[in-house]
Amino acid sequence: MSELFIEFICEEIPARMQKNSIRHMAEFISSKLLEHGLLDTSSAAETKSAIGPKHMVVSLSGVIKQQVDRLVEKRGPKVGAPHQAIYGFCKSAGISETQLVTKKTKKGTFYFAEILEKGRHIETFIPELVYNLVSEFPWPKSQRWATSKLSWVRPLHHINVVLDGQLIRGSLDLGGDMTIEFTNSGYGHSAYHNGPFEISGFELYVNKMRDLDVLVDFEERQSFILKNASKIAEQKGLHLRRDDNLLEEVCGLVESPNVLCGRIDDIFMILPDEVLVTSMRVHQKYFALEDENGKIAPYFLLVADRKPDLQNDALIIKGNERVLRARLSDALFFWNSDKAKHLKEYRKQLREITFYEGLGQLSEKVDRVEALASMIASYIPECSEADAFQAAGLCKSDLVTGMVVEFPELQGVMGSYYASTHDVATPQVVAIRDHYCPQGADDKLPETAEGIAVSMADKIDTLVGFFGINVKPTGSKDPFALRRAALGILRMIDERSISLPLDEVLVKAANLHGFNSFDDELALFITERLKVRLRDKNISHDVVSAAIVDADIHNLQIQIEKVKAIDKMLDTSDGMKLLEGWRRASNILAAEAKKGKNNGDIGQTSSQAISAPSVDASLFKLSAETKLFEAAQSLPDDVGENENEIYGTIHRFSAVYEPIKIFFETVIVNDDNPEIRKNRLNLLSLVCTKIRNIADLGKIEK
Amino acid sequence: MQTDFQSIFLNLQTYWAKQGCIILQPYDMEVGAGTFHPATILRSLGPDFHWKAAYVQPSRRPTDGRYGENPNRLQHYYQFQTIMKPSPANSQELYLGSLQAIGLDIHKHDIRFVEDDWESPSLGAWGLGWEVWCDGMEVSQFTYFQQVGGIECDPVPLELTYGLERLAMFVQEIENVYELDWDGVPTSRGGKVYGDIFNLAEKEFSKWNFELADTAILLSHFNDAEAECANLLSAEEVLPLPAYDQCMKASHLFNLLDARGVISVTERQSYIGRVRQLAKGCCDAWVAKTAESNSS
C-alpha cells in the first residue's frame, strides 16, 4: 500500500474555519479514493491530517496505485435487429461482431459486448480529485483573486501531491488563465525561512516543519499554548482562566506560538472582571489570569507568532500593553459615563430601538415583560412579585449603554452592575443579571426565583410575538433562537419544579401583544421541544411519545413528572406485567374491531376518542370478571397534581396485572351468549381506557 | 529611518511608486474612507485590466469626534490607500515590504492576519481579507474586493488601507495621537506635532458635527444631492463621474445627520439604501459608458 500526501498552501485561513475544513478535506479525499477503488481501508490504513493558518495537509497510507481492470457489460440491440444496428453497436463498443455474446433478459434476448475496462492509475485520477475538492469545497465564505474563476477561502498558492515520496504531476486550472502546477515543495515560517524543502511523506514533513518554526498540527499547537500559559500562571501564583473557544481561535492564528505575559495597569483594575475579560478576549484575543478566588489578576497572556527572543519578546509585550491601555481606557470611559445615569433613564431611550418589525419598540417589549414577570412570579413559591416586576422594567436598559453597544455579550451583566451602583435592591440586580439565562442546554439557570420569573417572561414574550406574526423556525433556520427560548422555559419548569398554567400565561402574553390568543402551533411547538428535551435526558423516545399529550401545555410540570414516573415503572417487572396485560387486552379488542363485529364502544384504536364503555356487573359469571372490574374501577382517571401523587398513581396501575392475568386464564371472552361476550369485551375496553388516560402504551416498543 | 508622520506617508508613496502604482492626490471632497475615491471604487470596475494606484485620503467620520479629548479617536484622520488590479500573486509579500519601508522590522514584530471581512452597505460592496495586526495593534485592512456597486469585480482588485495615525503612533511608540511628531523637527525649533495642526479642528468640528449643524439644511442638501445624482444618470448624455460626486456628497451628509442623532434606527437602513442606489447607479453607468468608449 502507498502513502498519498496532499498539501494546500494558501493565505491565512480564518481561525474559526480551520477544524471543520481539514475534517472535510480528509473525508472528501478518502471517500473519493474509496469510491474509485483506490483506497484500502483494512487495518493498517491510516488517514492523518494537520492544519495551520496557511497549511492544510492530508495523508493517507492505504492508497492503491492502480485500479483493478473491470469487465464491463454493455447491452446492444435485440437479437434479430437490423444488421446496421448491430454493426453500429460493435463499432461504438470497439469490438468485432464475432466477439458479441447473446444473453436472455426479461425483455428478450440481446447482444452484449464484454469490454475490459482498464483500471486507471491514481496519477491520472488525482488532478480530477483536486479540482472537485476545490470547486465543491464548502467554505462558509470564499473568494476569487486576480483573474481566477474558482474560489477558495483566500488565495491558494501551492498544491503539493506526493505519492510514496514521488511528486505526482498535474495541475489545477483556476480559470482566467491561472494554473497551479502540483509540486512537492514545503515552506516553513515565512518570517524566518524562504526556500522550499522537498516533501517525501507526512512524518518527515511534520518534523521538518517543526524545524522550520511551524507547528503544523492543530492539537500540538493547542497543547503547547495551554502548557505554556499554565506554566506562566503558575510562576505568578495564579491560574489561567480557561476559555476553550479563545484557545481554539488563537491556535488558528499562529504557526509558531510563543506565550507572553503583559501587565494591566492598576487604574483599570476597578473595572468589573467581565469587562476586563471581554475587552481582552474580543479585541485582543488575550487570556486572563485569576487568583485563587477567581478574581482577575492584573496580567494578560498573549500568543505571538514569533520565536522566543528576550529582546523581541519585550518589544512585542510593550506594544500589546500599549494597545490594551487604549482599549481599557475606552472601557473605563464607558464604565464611568454609563454609571452617571439610572437604568430608569436608559429605559426611556429604548423607545428609539425597534425590537422587531411588527413587534414594536424595545420599550414596548419591556412593558410587556414587566406585566408577564409579575404574573409568572405569582406561581413561583417564595418569589417577590414586586421585585420581579421592577427587575423586568430595568432588564433591557443596559442595551443603550456605551459598554453594551461596544460589547453586546455583556448585556444583563452590565445592567446588574449599573443597577447596584444606584442602590437597586439585590434581588432585582441578580434578576437583571440572570434574565438571559439559560442560553442553551448546558448554560446555568437564573439563580433566584425573581430571575426565573423575568427570564421566563422575556422568553415567553419573544415566542408568542414571533409566532404571532408567523415568524417560526423552519428546518435548520431559527434566526431568533426560538427553540432555545422554548428549551430555556422548559428547563426552568423542570429543574426548578415550577407548576404554572402556561396556557394562561401565553394568552396573557398574546393579549399584551394585541393578539386575541397565542398561535395554535405554539403549544405543539412547546410539547415537541419537551419531547426533544426528555429524549436528550435519556428517556427512551417511545416512552416520551406514549406519555406526552401533544399541545397540552396547561401544566408541563405534570407532563414531565408523568414521563419520568412511567419510565421508571416500565423498568420494573410490575411495569412489564402491566404492559403485557394491556397488550393481550388490546390485541383482542383490535381483532374485534377488525372483524367489524363491534358496535362502536369496543375495540377502539388508540387514535380514536375514548369514552368509558358500560359494563354490566350482573352479567358476570366468574369471579375473575368481578375482580378485574373492581380493579379497573379503582383506577384513577387522571394522573394527579404533584410528584408524589403521580408516582402513586402510576404505581397503582401495576396492580391491574394480576386480575388481567387471572381473567385471561379463566375466562373465555367468546361466550355463546352474545350479551355476555359483549360485556366481557367492554370490561377489557374499560381497562384499556383507564390505562390510556395515563399513557398510550401502544407506542411502547420494548 | 525617519519615523515622523510625514516621512511615513512619503515613504509609503515612494515604496508603492516603485511597485508600479501611480501616485494620486486626495479626492477633493469629504469622504468617510479612502475607498470612496473614484480611483478605488470606479476603477475596481471599469475597463482597465491593470490599475495600480496609491494616495493619501483625508477621511471624515463625524460620529468618531471626541472634542479633541480622546487620545485615540478623531473625526478627521488620514488613510493611505493602495489599490492593485488584478491582485498580485505576492500581495502579502508586497504589503510586508511596505511595513519594512517605513521602518517596521517584520522579523521582530508580531504580524498577524486576522479574519475581517469587509462590507460597505452604502457602496453595495464587499470583499474578503484580514485586518493586519502588529503587536496587537490593527495597522491595516487587507481586502480582496469581490463586488462593488453590486457588480462582480473581474479581475479582482486588492485594496490596502493603512490608518496612518495609528501606524505612526505605533512606530513612534506614543499613546496620544496629538503628540505625534509631524515633521521630525524639535518643537523648540518650530517643529510641529499633530495636535498643533489638528487639535482645534477636532474641537470645532466635534461641536459642529454633534451640536450645531443645521439638520434641516443637511437634510435638504441630502435630497438635492440625491436628485442631482439621479438627473445626471438619466440625462441624455449620462455623466457617471459628476453623478458619483453627488453620491459621495449624499453619503457624507448622511454621516453628518447620523452624528446629529436625528436618524432613528429604522430610518438608518432606508438612508443607507438610498445611498446604495446612487452608488449602484453610478457604477452601472460608469461600466456601461467606459465599455462603450473602449469598443468604439
Side-chain angles (χ1 to χ4, degrees), chain B residues 9-288:
Chain B
F9 60 73
L10 290 171
N11 286 335
L12 281 175
Q13 285 189 356
T14 310
Y15 175 82
W16 286 111
K18 275 191 199 142
Q19 310 308 324
C21 291
I22 54 164
I23 303 301
L24 289 170
Q25 298 303 314
Y27 204 67
D28 56 338
M29 287 183 65
E30 301 137 310
V31 290
T35 307
F36 276 86
H37 198 306
T40 291
I41 281 300
L42 296 180
R43 296 285 175 164
S44 289
L45 304 167
D48 307 288
F49 180 81
H50 289 288
W51 177 256
K52 294 190 208 176
Y55 52 89
V56 174
Q57 181 65 49
S59 304
R60 301 213 188 200
R61 304 250 168 115
T63 47
D64 282 351
R66 293 293 182 273
Y67 296 85
E69 278 162 18
N70 183 305
N72 291 297
R73 285 198 197 238
L74 302 163
Q75 55 84 41
H76 170 284
Y77 69 106
Y78 287 110
Q79 286 189 343
F80 188 91
Q81 171 93 358
T82 302
I83 182 92
M84 288 197 270
K85 180 174 89 167
S87 65
N90 58 346
S91 298
Q92 286 186 318
E93 200 182 305
L94 288 174
Y95 168 75
L96 293 172
S98 75
L99 295 186
Q100 298 274 36
I102 57 169
L104 262 179
D105 186 341
I106 60 159
H107 306 289
K108 289 188 176 159
H109 293 281
D110 180 29
I111 313 279
R112 229 84 72 68
F113 291 80
V114 182
E115 178 191 15
D116 187 34
D117 302 337
W118 173 80
E119 193 184 359
S120 167
S122 48
L123 288 171
W126 69 277
L128 297 192
W130 311 272
E131 47 184 52
V132 184
W133 287 14
C134 183
D135 297 347
M137 162 85 96
E138 183 198 338
V139 290
S140 303
Q141 285 279 336
F142 194 120
T143 309
Y144 293 98
F145 279 178
Q146 302 294 300
Q147 251 187 27
V148 168
I151 302 168
E152 293 281 308
C153 297
D154 184 20
V156 170
L158 167 70
E159 183 202 53
L160 299 173
T161 304
Y162 306 73
L164 279 178
E165 284 83 353
R166 277 210 198 171
L167 194 59
M169 283 165 75
F170 184 86
V171 174
Q172 293 184 17
E173 298 184 20
I174 58 157
E175 297 186 29
N176 184 342
V177 66
Y178 296 108
E179 291 165 12
L180 268 181
D181 174 5
W182 190 284
D183 51 9
V185 178
T187 42
S188 55
R189 287 199 281 125
K192 298 294 179 215
V193 294
Y194 198 89
D196 295 333
I197 304 165
F198 284 118
N199 193 263
L200 184 62
E202 283 298 313
K203 285 187 165 84
E204 292 194 355
F205 276 98
S206 293
K207 180 112 182 141
W208 184 69
N209 294 339
F210 288 126
E211 301 170 40
L212 298 177
D214 185 320
T215 54
I217 293 179
L218 290 177
L219 197 57
S220 87
H221 283 349
F222 181 91
N223 292 330
D224 289 347
E226 187 183 36
E228 184 71 351
C229 182
N231 287 343
L232 290 163
L233 291 176
S234 58
E236 198 171 326
E237 189 191 347
V238 176
L239 299 174
L241 291 171
Y244 184 63
D245 271 14
Q246 299 301 318
C247 169
M248 283 186 275
K249 245 181 208 164
S251 171
H252 179 62
L253 287 159
F254 162 72
N255 290 339
L256 286 170
L257 285 162
D258 196 24
R260 287 288 279 118
V262 294
I263 293 179
S264 74
V265 182
T266 29
E267 281 175 313
R268 249 187 99 76
Q269 288 314 310
S270 109
Y271 273 97
I272 291 173
R274 283 163 73 183
V275 175
R276 181 169 56 241
Q277 275 316 106
L278 301 182
K280 281 187 158 183
C282 296
C283 289
D284 284 339
W286 158 261
V287 169

Side-chain angles (χ1 to χ4, degrees), chain A residues 170-205:
Chain A
S171 63
L172 172 68
D173 181 4
L174 294 166
D177 288 329
M178 288 172 73
T179 313
I180 299 176
E181 295 288 337
F182 297 170
T183 47
N184 56 353
S185 307
Y187 291 88
H189 199 293
S190 60
Y192 306 111
H193 310 280
N194 289 325
F197 65 92
E198 195 179 309
I199 297 169
S200 55
F202 188 78
E203 298 303 332
L204 287 172
Y205 163 86

Side-chain angles (χ1 to χ4, degrees), chain A residues 384 387-388 390-391 394 415-417 419-434 447-451 454:
Chain A
S384 154
D387 280 332
Q390 300 280 346
L394 300 176
S416 73
Y417 279 110
S420 56
T421 61
H422 287 273
D423 298 324
V424 170
T426 308
Q428 295 172 31
V429 169
V430 176
I432 292 169
R433 184 192 68 194
D434 289 352
E447 257 172 38
T448 59
E450 291 78 15
V454 181

Side-chain angles (χ1 to χ4, degrees), chain A residues 381-418:
Chain A
E382 285 165 46
C383 182
S384 154
E385 283 180 51
D387 280 332
F389 179 86
Q390 300 280 346
L394 300 176
C395 73
K396 302 293 177 191
S397 296
D398 65 355
L399 293 178
V400 288
T401 61
M403 191 76 86
V404 176
V405 170
E406 180 79 2
F407 300 111
E409 59 269 62
L410 290 179
Q411 62 184 10
V413 172
M414 290 325 296
S416 73
Y417 279 110
Y418 296 146

